[in-house]
Amino acid sequence: MTDEGRETPAPDAPRGDALHGAAARDAAEAYRRMFDGHDRERVRRAGWAAAIAGALTDHFRPRSVVDIGCGLGFFLAAMGGRGADRLTGVDADWVEGLPTEIPRDRYLLHDLETPLPDLGRHDLAACLEVAEHLGAARGPSLVAELTALSDVVLFSAAIPGQGGRGHVNCRWQSYWAGLFAEHGHACYDPYRRRLAAMPDMAPWFAQNLLLFVREGGAVPDGIAPHRIAPQAADMVLPLVHTRLLRARERRFRAAVRQLEAAGLRFVPPGAAGGPDT
């Protein structure tokens, strides 16, 4: 759970390797500053993790959980509190020197841009608001590795325009569903409506969180009615949370005011004199 959710504009398309590396370093430093000595941020994230873990364990109780891009381990700690006794967290070395929510011996420090080592099989694999921080070429192989880790994958990733630091590969939810389908994992949408009703929940989880279950595998009780047919994915899955949409509108209006203060004028596309006329 590494997405900081700040309203700082960020690029939505892949960039060159040098810029991508700089973005990753800047994002890592921002995360370190966010967590270092800030108990309020920890409490907030622990609450999000507990709510997500609670929704998940209403349907099934995994004993082994691996979290790719686990940050400081909030989701793993929440799952440990609900009966999971084999926890594995994987993330880059930005977490070094920060107090973590799970024991250090449960961590593997690893550059997520590179293929994961053999981590064995787990009851549940999670990857929460991480994929957008990795280059576009990494997306398909990341999904392949997640589906190799478990028959059940909990996944969320930032959409275009969501905002945040270090976002270089923002995609609509249906894009990721298509990649999971290539590896035999069907898409289920049992949590977004529930999370959206929680006033303190991070809007990006209420917007993006999906469950993928291997075709032919055991579908947790209560999940089956929430299956999204592949042919409906492009119509049903893309979703923008109103809080994020309003934040983007505020940023846009602020930018227009800056233009006007500089004596310039914003002309919308399609208007007389605009770029589409």
Side-chain angles (χ1 to χ4, degrees), residues 34-114:
M34 185 193 324
F35 288 114
D36 193 10
H38 290 77
D39 290 339
R40 180 179 177 184
E41 185 66 27
R42 288 176 173 273
V43 169
R44 187 170 72 136
R45 287 174 178 270
W48 299 340
I52 293 170
L56 183 77
T57 53
D58 277 352
H59 298 114
F60 79 120
R61 297 267 178 170
R63 298 297 301 272
S64 60
V65 182
V66 59
D67 188 355
I68 306 303
C70 65
L72 300 186
F74 293 101
F75 178 69
L76 287 171
M79 292 302 297
R82 287 163 175 77
D85 54 14
R86 184 159 69 92
L87 307 174
T88 303
V90 183
D91 212 327
D93 59 6
W94 70 270
V95 302
E96 286 193 297
L98 293 173
T100 56
E101 302 297 311
I102 58 173
R104 284 289 181 173
D105 62 4
R106 305 289 181 91
Y107 265 91
L108 171 66
L109 298 182
H110 182 79
D111 179 2
L112 299 181
E113 286 284 5
T114 64

Side-chain angles (χ1 to χ4, degrees), residues 91-197:
D91 212 327
D93 59 6
W94 70 270
V95 302
E96 286 193 297
L98 293 173
T100 56
E101 302 297 311
I102 58 173
R104 284 289 181 173
D105 62 4
R106 305 289 181 91
Y107 265 91
L108 171 66
L109 298 182
H110 182 79
D111 179 2
L112 299 181
E113 286 284 5
T114 64
L116 297 173
D118 183 6
L119 298 171
R121 293 278 294 170
H122 299 263
D123 297 332
L124 174 71
C127 186
L128 307 178
E129 298 296 303
V130 172
E132 68 272 14
H133 295 275
L134 307 178
R138 179 68 173 117
S141 60
L142 175 66
V143 170
E145 291 164 7
L146 290 170
T147 57
L149 286 169
S150 181
D151 289 347
V152 183
V153 181
L154 188 67
F155 183 86
S156 71
I159 64 171
Q162 179 173 304
R165 294 186 178 94
H167 290 188
V168 296
N169 186 32
C170 294
R171 304 280 189 167
W172 290 105
Q173 299 93 338
S174 51
Y175 167 80
W176 299 107
L179 292 182
F180 277 97
E182 291 176 8
H183 295 278
H185 277 56
C187 179
Y188 295 82
D189 187 9
Y191 304 126
R192 293 194 296 177
R193 184 182 296 272
R194 176 171 173 174
L195 297 181

Side-chain angles (χ1 to χ4, degrees), residues 230-268:
Q231 61 269 28
D234 284 332
M235 294 182 290
V236 176
L237 291 179
L239 177 69
V240 180
H241 196 288
T242 53
R243 280 168 55 191
L244 295 175
L245 189 63
R246 288 168 185 155
R248 193 165 183 83
E249 181 184 11
R250 288 194 298 271
R251 293 197 298 268
F252 172 76
R253 292 184 182 278
V256 171
R257 288 195 296 271
Q258 289 178 337
L259 286 174
E260 292 172 344
L264 302 174
R265 184 169 66 95
F266 171 72
V267 180

